[in-house]
Amino acid sequence: METKLHTFLNSNLLNKYLVGEASYEEAKEVEYYIENFPEAAKAYERLQYNLEIIAKAGAVDVPKNVLSNILKELDEPNETKVIQLVQQKKTPWYSIAASAAAILFAVTSFLLFQKNQNLLDENNVVVEEIFDLRSDIDNNNAKLDELSRELNKLNDPDARKYVINGNDRAKDLKTVAYINPVEKTSMIDVITLPQLPEDQHYEIWAELQDKMVNLGILDESERKLKPIPYMEDALALSIKIGNKGDANNTTDTEVAEISLKDKE
């Protein structure tokens, strides 16, 4: 409700109501806020007071000789005269006050409009920043949840760790595989991979009893735990150099291998 009251006070309804330009629905809304909210009543009283000051400031003083002229004319018997109170026609004070009030109202309305626009722009910026912040928080929470799940998998007592080092063809190669035969999950962590020509990449393979199965491509840019297919009866894991676009790598390009039976 405080937000609605703040919006009402920043609107132009009190000014419109004061000068009689508010519609029936707007007048009902203004009267409701004045009756139910002290802040609205005080704001309305302040506007009335300011308008009264403006009206008084534009008032025209009555000439000092008017009263003496009237008394003098009344003392002269049997004569009917038209007493000229003011020699020159002057604009009535209420017209001046009304004009001043209209000018002040226009200026005030414009300033309030500008202020409201600035507040709306600032509110929109704040809302966008809040949404961006919430989005960042959600993304960070999602990353933390994912990291927590990965750590839980690594810390699982059933998980087995296999460090895969490169042979003479790729001495700087190093990856770590985590295999959980109970949960039937496999993950690999790329630590270092020697750079290859643009038309080649590293592939990880699983050796079964009678065949080799391609488990996917390894990329050093993906420096995080990466899930790979779990192979129930895999005897070993090997890393080969493959040509991009060729899924069936039958050449002898093996650069690393590790047996999965050593820890059973």
Side-chain angles (χ1 to χ4, degrees):
M1 197 63 194
E2 291 182 0
T3 302
K4 291 184 178 180
L5 176 61
H6 181 71
T7 302
F8 169 78
L9 292 176
N10 286 330
S11 70
N12 199 29
L13 290 180
L14 278 175
N15 285 333
K16 293 176 67 177
Y17 181 79
L18 182 62
V19 298
E21 293 183 359
S23 64
Y24 176 74
E25 294 297 329
E26 290 174 339
K28 287 177 60 179
E29 182 180 356
V30 172
E31 292 168 357
Y32 168 79
Y33 277 93
I34 291 176
E35 292 175 0
N36 293 278
F37 296 92
E39 295 91 340
K42 289 181 180 178
Y44 180 66
E45 291 175 2
R46 186 164 57 252
L47 287 175
Q48 284 183 312
Y49 177 76
N50 291 338
L51 182 60
E52 183 178 349
I53 291 176
I54 294 171
K56 289 181 179 179
V60 179
D61 294 332
V62 178
K64 296 181 179 180
N65 62 338
V66 170
L67 180 60
S68 60
N69 290 339
I70 294 174
L71 295 175
K72 181 179 179 181
E73 292 297 331
L74 291 175
D75 289 339
E76 296 180 6
N78 301 325
E79 290 186 8
T80 304
K81 293 183 179 181
V82 177
I83 302 174
Q84 187 174 4
L85 298 180
V86 182
Q87 296 299 324
Q88 295 180 355
K89 184 178 179 180
K90 295 185 178 180
T91 304
W93 69 268
Y94 51 82
S95 297
I96 297 175
S99 299
I103 294 173
L104 178 64
F105 173 73
V107 173
T108 304
S109 299
F110 176 77
L111 294 177
L112 288 175
F113 174 78
Q114 289 291 102
K115 183 177 181 181
N116 288 339
Q117 287 298 114
N118 293 335
L119 288 174
L120 287 175
D121 293 340
E122 291 177 1
N123 288 340
N124 290 335
V125 171
V126 171
V127 169
E128 290 176 359
E129 290 178 350
I130 290 175
F131 277 117
D132 291 340
L133 181 60
R134 288 179 177 174
S135 178
D136 292 340
I137 292 174
D138 291 339
N139 291 335
N140 289 335
N141 287 338
K143 291 178 180 179
L144 289 175
D145 290 340
E146 180 182 358
L147 179 60
S148 177
R149 288 192 296 268
E150 292 177 351
L151 290 176
N152 288 335
K153 291 179 181 179
L154 299 183
N155 294 327
D156 191 319
D158 295 319
R160 299 171 184 173
K161 177 180 178 181
Y162 300 89
V163 178
I164 309 174
N165 292 309
N167 56 23
D168 292 337
R169 294 178 178 176
K171 293 182 179 180
D172 295 331
L173 184 150
K174 185 175 183 179
T175 61
V176 181
Y178 300 89
I179 299 176
N180 190 325
V182 177
E183 297 292 336
K184 297 188 182 304
T185 58
S186 298
M187 304 183 72
I188 192 162
D189 183 16
V190 175
I191 299 177
T192 57
L193 290 177
Q195 191 168 355
L196 292 174
E198 292 184 0
D199 59 342
Q200 293 181 331
H201 55 209
Y202 291 99
E203 301 170 348
I204 184 165
W205 290 72
E207 179 184 348
L208 302 181
Q209 188 69 35
D210 55 352
K211 62 179 179 179
M212 298 288 291
V213 177
N214 190 336
L215 301 182
I217 298 172
L218 298 181
D219 190 344
E220 192 175 18
S221 63
E222 299 178 356
R223 298 294 298 274
K224 61 180 181 179
L225 284 171
K226 174 182 178 180
I228 57 176
Y230 175 78
M231 306 303 295
E232 181 74 36
D233 300 320
L235 302 176
L237 290 177
S238 61
I239 297 175
K240 295 183 178 183
I241 297 175
N243 296 320
K244 293 182 179 179
D246 182 12
N248 299 317
N249 187 355
T250 58
T251 59
D252 182 17
T253 57
E254 188 176 279
V255 292
E257 183 179 17
I258 190 169
S259 173
L260 301 181
K261 298 302 179 179
D262 296 343
K263 295 191 178 185
E264 291 186 354

